[in-house]
Amino acid sequence: MAPRRLQVAVAGLGRMGKRHATNVLSRTPRAQLVAVFTPDEGEMSWAQQNLAQWGVKLYTDYDEMLKHAGLDAVVVATVTTVHAEQTIKAITADKHVLCEKPLSTSVEISQSVFDAAKAKPHLKVMCGFSRRFDASYRDAWERTDSGGIGRPSVFRSQTCDKLDPTGFFVQYSAFSGGIFVDCNIHDIDLALWFLGEDSVVKSVMAVGITAVQPELQKHKDVDNGVGVVEFYGGKIAYFYSSRMMASGQHDMTEIIGTEGKLTVNANPRDSLVDMWEPNGVRHEIPPHYYGRFEYAFVTEMNEFTDCCLNGTKLPFKLKGAVKAVKIGCALQESLITGTKIHFDETGRRIEQPKL
Amino acid sequence: MAPRRLQVAVAGLGRMGKRHATNVLSRTPRAQLVAVFTPDEGEMSWAQQNLAQWGVKLYTDYDEMLKHAGLDAVVVATVTTVHAEQTIKAITADKHVLCEKPLSTSVEISQSVFDAAKAKPHLKVMCGFSRRFDASYRDAWERTDSGGIGRPSVFRSQTCDKLDPTGFFVQYSAFSGGIFVDCNIHDIDLALWFLGEDSVVKSVMAVGITAVQPELQKHKDVDNGVGVVEFYGGKIAYFYSSRMMASGQHDMTEIIGTEGKLTVNANPRDSLVDMWEPNGVRHEIPPHYYGRFEYAFVTEMNEFTDCCLNGTKLPFKLKGAVKAVKIGCALQESLITGTKIHFDETGRRIEQPKL
Amino acid sequence: MAPRRLQVAVAGLGRMGKRHATNVLSRTPRAQLVAVFTPDEGEMSWAQQNLAQWGVKLYTDYDEMLKHAGLDAVVVATVTTVHAEQTIKAITADKHVLCEKPLSTSVEISQSVFDAAKAKPHLKVMCGFSRRFDASYRDAWERTDSGGIGRPSVFRSQTCDKLDPTGFFVQYSAFSGGIFVDCNIHDIDLALWFLGEDSVVKSVMAVGITAVQPELQKHKDVDNGVGVVEFYGGKIAYFYSSRMMASGQHDMTEIIGTEGKLTVNANPRDSLVDMWEPNGVRHEIPPHYYGRFEYAFVTEMNEFTDCCLNGTKLPFKLKGAVKAVKIGCALQESLITGTKIHFDETGRRIEQPKL
Amino acid sequence: MAPRRLQVAVAGLGRMGKRHATNVLSRTPRAQLVAVFTPDEGEMSWAQQNLAQWGVKLYTDYDEMLKHAGLDAVVVATVTTVHAEQTIKAITADKHVLCEKPLSTSVEISQSVFDAAKAKPHLKVMCGFSRRFDASYRDAWERTDSGGIGRPSVFRSQTCDKLDPTGFFVQYSAFSGGIFVDCNIHDIDLALWFLGEDSVVKSVMAVGITAVQPELQKHKDVDNGVGVVEFYGGKIAYFYSSRMMASGQHDMTEIIGTEGKLTVNANPRDSLVDMWEPNGVRHEIPPHYYGRFEYAFVTEMNEFTDCCLNGTKLPFKLKGAVKAVKIGCALQESLITGTKIHFDETGRRIEQPKL
């Protein structure tokens, strides 16, 4: 007899929700997609055509979905503004949760998710930092962890989206938490991973411009941002995010140690084809985030499922997700106020730099 | 109710058989692995541990397996010497077949598979030219097909295996058909794809050496081979195969047209990590064929399944598999005899070159 | 009869001085090396062996050298601390001057060089921003200038030296002006070139660490620095400098515009050789600055010579050299004080950020 | 007093002649350009404008030029058809000679040059295999020679010209000796260098097509050729040449040994700039041979000069130039006759392959 599979529901069927649902359905052998929730008609219609035939129950009410008989785990892939609320509800209903990043754009609310999870240590509650599951980042991590570059000291990472001339990003910005929370949250999480989860922030400073979408200013957001985070103990992370890449998505990372350096995806490409044309040699790069990280999402779902079924430890802690939001919000604040923000070794804000 | 899934059996659980079985089991949503066959104890033991719990029936007799109730399709992944026999048996039993390449190392036997398939046009019989399903080759093909490089004229392709010092290749060579049939069969198939399936061979010539494994000479084989195939109509394909790559697997292709050139995998890499070390900048490359083509195999199984279920056309014809073996065997003969072999426009051998 | 050649003297025969002398001697057809000055015995000995036979007069007194009959131009390649003084003396003596960067580590002294030059408009006085003569930077500049990337908006540039475990950089740091003035001065100059010479600085912020050479702290310097410069009008430049690159020198630049991006030397290499070895594919990178910019220095000397002989305009203005020092010094100050420094549109310092 | 400089004349001021003359004039410190010869009015006009002012004597008669007082050495850069005659005349007049490749398109005439040189061992007579002076090829050679790739066994090399739609190559082909003699002569010379100058040819085979310039057929030439040379002792070299590269010049080489592989210029580029554009990431490649090998020619002239002045050994032997022509001519013959050509261990032709 086939082993029991994790009974999973997916909440939200937007761009990422559809992908998560499909991944649970057909690329996660130990999981079974049993339910989905969406308040959106278009999304529901997609579910009727693509999921219903596989015995997936469709819900328009999140609370009802949580009561689905036998449900083990919930993937929260709704809009950021309800991530925290739905995650906490699922925890309360005794479900494992994989919540899309960020937990919230608010530090306090993110903390409340952490507190809820802490109260139920038998549940697996994970923030969807998909890059943690990417084979290349893991390869880089193993090399770093085994001393391959000496002591990691300077960390550079960027998340750059392809220019979307439709104005999507302007609307999106109203709720995204701003570019440092929305885009660079991944880079911040990676910085904590590679420089040490317990790294203590000494200062943050960010600047930004609206080069192509001045309308972003009404949401106090930018389309290009540069942020610098200084940690106690002689470590620096700096970030770049952009909404105007001409060629496509370019997310990359550089980890500089005292004895060597690693880069991850310094030279992006969409396929292995090079085109030798009259005006030179050319290759394409992925247009979207999913083109780069598709298999990381598949791995994420499979490992989350394994941890839930086996009762083993998740590959990283939820605490880091709160910390990443905290840093992202501080960068966003620095961007808006034009000031550098300082912290002491205990994490408290101070007025003057600590020399 | 969930749609009916294709009931699939896998014959042979060696390196590729295990992968095919796993892909049917958990990466091909529309297929169901219902049976496997292997005469090998070690492989059977693997099946007991990995497949039995999912309700897969294990057979030690191929003919019995063919009688499995409800079976729709067979994947033939046994040793090359029985590919043809098992494929014909499956056809006779009215099953769809995906047969690993080559159909046979003999042109006549390959032809007999083709004849058997031709007699049952309702069945899908496909030779596993996995590269045909690779996203990068498909990208290159679309660019070529849409005129992106003008008229494809010169084709270069190589299959290079990582050096295996265990002597595996020597034993393997006894039955592999030789390096041009075993390795370059993929490149030959690609040449026919890109230069035209109906291209008529004008001449073939091959040379080779045993640089690291002189024992190959007892099987009239080599560890490095260069072959040139001239086609009527002004087209050339040339091939390189090697069993002694230091860094890992390197399969690549170059399609040169009158207005441009495409390369596929000219610069192989295993992950997106670059290592900046005291002696330079380094990256690793996949050690094995599967590291390069893993997802092509997954696509292959899914598309084969779709064609069987939907009754649609396979993406390429079985006839080409016979032709590829024919060219591979001619190259192998040229290697052994030291001569160039000439053909007329009808495919008949001639003594003198056609000028 | 051969045309008259520019009569050139080189002051200082350290690492760069030797190269300049050699370049004037044998790679600058329209120039003639007539004199050199060095107060150093080792350098003088080198000159006796390598220059004397070509009729070059050797001086141990700079002022004497300036009186050399027929002398047209002086290349100042001595230590940074005397750049300004020697340049001003040469100007006073009515000589053209090519002065190595920076003019001085002091803004005021740099300004005094500019003032001296301004008083003698018939003289060509140039700061040796060698990258301005590099073919790749020029190619990038032409593409930028012709609108190839839209409006250049974000500029990233780095100067990274190979780790030198001898402690050279610690001693050197006593007089270098600090890492932002010494290393990033090139990147700052490039930023002004690509973002506009008249760009007005809005803020500067820098952080740094001593990852491998803690002794640098006694000179208030670091071995890894990150600096961010914000300009009025929606432009950002950010810089990285390091003294601990494992693989070799890596100076690179990225110019991000509203419609595209250019990178210069993103993937450095020393030769065109790739090594395919058991642990991957490797290439080496130049160990030193000169390995990357050798031909830029040759072009620099030839173009400087042409401008002097033809009375044509130098390719860039001396004013920018003062501005670059000003920005470098502000970054260095920000590094030391831990604060962000703000300026108003007229260039005056202000206490609060301008929002 | 300045040391005596080698008094050099350049014969022929076509594309390469102009470059050689300029290199002697201004990039070869120990040489002095004293005379040039050209029978062509346009070239003479160029010389009057560019060389006369530097005291260079201009000749329209080669024999007269040879009598120029004090002349030490001649660079023969005229059309291939007179290379041998002029070189022999110069040798007879007791001059050192640097003769552009090939010595001749005829094996016998090439041999006569060798014989003439052999009779005057005090003279330096060199064939201009410019790639021998290229820093990257030298780097590859040192790595090969020091055992870095084990025993070099398979050699692949190509010379690919940018498509020239003017029909230049058709006219040129009348005297070039054909694509294997004209283009691949460099690759053949490299093969002998890397596989061993004393390697004995076992067989040669070539095929070719006229993909873009069918008019080449009247000169029995092709615009794309593939050639394979088998050597006794288990070594293979294979070559590709093309006149229809869309992107520019691409000359590259791959040396495959029993323990590793080296590539030289596998990924050509013209500058260090990458362009990130809406349709991908692009870089340009050099349009012409000189763009790739400019500095090799400068090194060639300097080293030739040093050998003449110092009486030291040239970096490679003239004998190899005869051998390269011999192999090139055999490939060309194989192309034309459609046959594979066999040799015994003494270099004599045989009818049947030696097994």
Side-chain angles (χ1 to χ4, degrees), chain A residues 136-157 194 252-266, chain B residues 269 271-277 280-284, chain C residues 245-247:
Chain A
S136 293
Y137 275 109
R138 287 181 162 190
D139 182 65
W141 163 248
E142 275 153 35
R143 294 178 195 283
T144 303
D145 191 45
S146 63
I149 58 166
R151 196 174 62 255
S153 302
V154 177
F155 183 92
R156 178 171 75 86
S157 197
F194 280 88
M252 70 84 65
T253 297
E254 183 173 41
I255 309 120
I256 304 162
T258 49
E259 293 165 28
K261 182 174 98 166
L262 298 172
T263 56
V264 181
N265 199 32
Chain B
R269 50 168 54 245
S271 81
L272 301 172
V273 174
D274 282 312
M275 291 160 268
W276 299 61
E277 299 167 334
V281 183
R282 179 169 69 91
H283 66 269
E284 295 180 351
Chain C
M245 277 286 293
S247 315

Side-chain angles (χ1 to χ4, degrees), chain C residues 24-247:
Chain C
V24 176
L25 190 67
S26 58
R27 301 167 105 179
T28 312
R30 299 186 72 195
Q32 183 171 7
L33 184 68
V34 296
V36 293
F37 151 75
T38 174
D40 180 274
E41 272 188 37
E43 292 177 15
M44 183 52 78
S45 162
W46 178 87
Q48 272 151 356
Q49 283 166 47
N50 292 279
L51 305 178
Q53 78 234 54
W54 297 99
V56 179
K57 184 79 183 286
L58 318 183
Y59 292 90
T60 55
D61 183 309
Y62 181 77
D63 298 326
E64 287 304 308
M65 186 199 75
L66 283 183
K67 296 179 195 155
H68 187 94
L71 184 67
D72 295 312
V74 177
V75 176
V76 175
T78 40
V79 290
T80 297
T81 41
V82 298
H83 281 179
E85 180 195 341
Q86 292 185 350
T87 298
I88 292 171
K89 278 184 172 178
I91 292 169
T92 307
D94 233 41
K95 311 299 176 198
H96 304 294
V97 187
L98 165 49
C99 178
E100 261 303 321
K101 63 89 214 172
L103 297 179
S104 162
T105 60
S106 144
V107 177
E108 292 68 30
I109 297 176
S110 298
Q111 182 64 38
S112 71
V113 174
F114 174 79
D115 293 341
K118 199 177 172 187
K120 297 232 182 171
H122 63 289
L123 295 181
K124 305 296 166 190
V125 182
M126 186 168 91
C127 180
F129 285 127
S130 41
R131 296 186 199 178
R132 295 262 191 164
F133 299 91
D134 176 64
S136 294
Y137 275 109
R138 287 181 162 191
D139 181 64
W141 163 247
E142 276 153 34
R143 293 179 195 281
T144 303
D145 191 44
S146 62
I149 57 167
R151 195 174 65 255
S153 302
V154 177
F155 183 91
R156 179 171 75 87
S157 198
Q158 71 176 37
T159 298
C160 295
D161 291 336
K162 190 175 168 67
L163 177 69
D164 179 341
T166 64
F168 165 77
F169 284 126
V170 177
Q171 294 165 261
Y172 182 66
S173 168
F175 306 101
S176 73
I179 202 163
F180 290 105
V181 173
D182 183 52
C183 283
N184 281 324
I185 196 82
H186 285 293
D187 305 294
I188 296 166
D189 175 61
L190 292 173
L192 293 170
W193 189 19
F194 280 88
L195 295 180
E197 310 279 0
D198 296 328
S199 299
V200 178
V201 175
K202 188 176 175 192
S203 75
V204 308
M205 200 287 303
V207 296
I209 57 174
T210 52
V212 287
Q213 285 170 324
E215 302 84 356
L216 284 168
Q217 292 170 16
K218 70 181 170 208
H219 302 306
K220 299 193 172 174
D221 205 1
V222 294
D223 50 27
N224 282 269
V226 172
V228 181
V229 177
E230 205 184 359
F231 294 98
Y232 281 100
K235 289 174 288 184
I236 296 170
Y238 65 114
F239 307 113
Y240 174 53
S241 48
S242 177
R243 304 286 197 192
M244 69 176 197
M245 277 286 293
S247 315

Side-chain angles (χ1 to χ4, degrees), chain D residues 137-197:
Chain D
Y137 276 109
R138 287 181 162 190
D139 182 64
W141 164 249
E142 274 154 35
R143 293 178 196 281
T144 302
D145 191 45
S146 63
I149 57 167
R151 196 174 63 256
S153 302
V154 177
F155 183 91
R156 178 170 76 85
S157 198
Q158 72 176 36
T159 297
C160 295
D161 291 336
K162 190 175 169 67
L163 177 70
D164 179 341
T166 63
F168 165 77
F169 283 127
V170 177
Q171 294 165 260
Y172 181 65
S173 168
F175 306 101
S176 73
I179 202 163
F180 290 105
V181 173
D182 182 51
C183 282
N184 281 326
I185 197 82
H186 284 295
D187 304 294
I188 296 167
D189 175 62
L190 292 173
L192 292 171
W193 189 18
F194 281 88
L195 295 180
E197 311 279 0

Side-chain angles (χ1 to χ4, degrees), chain B residues 247 276-277 279 281-283, chain C residues 247 276-277 279-283:
Chain B
S247 314
W276 299 61
E277 299 167 334
N279 69 349
V281 183
R282 179 169 69 91
H283 66 269
Chain C
S247 315
W276 300 60
E277 299 167 335
N279 69 350
V281 183
R282 179 170 69 92
H283 67 267

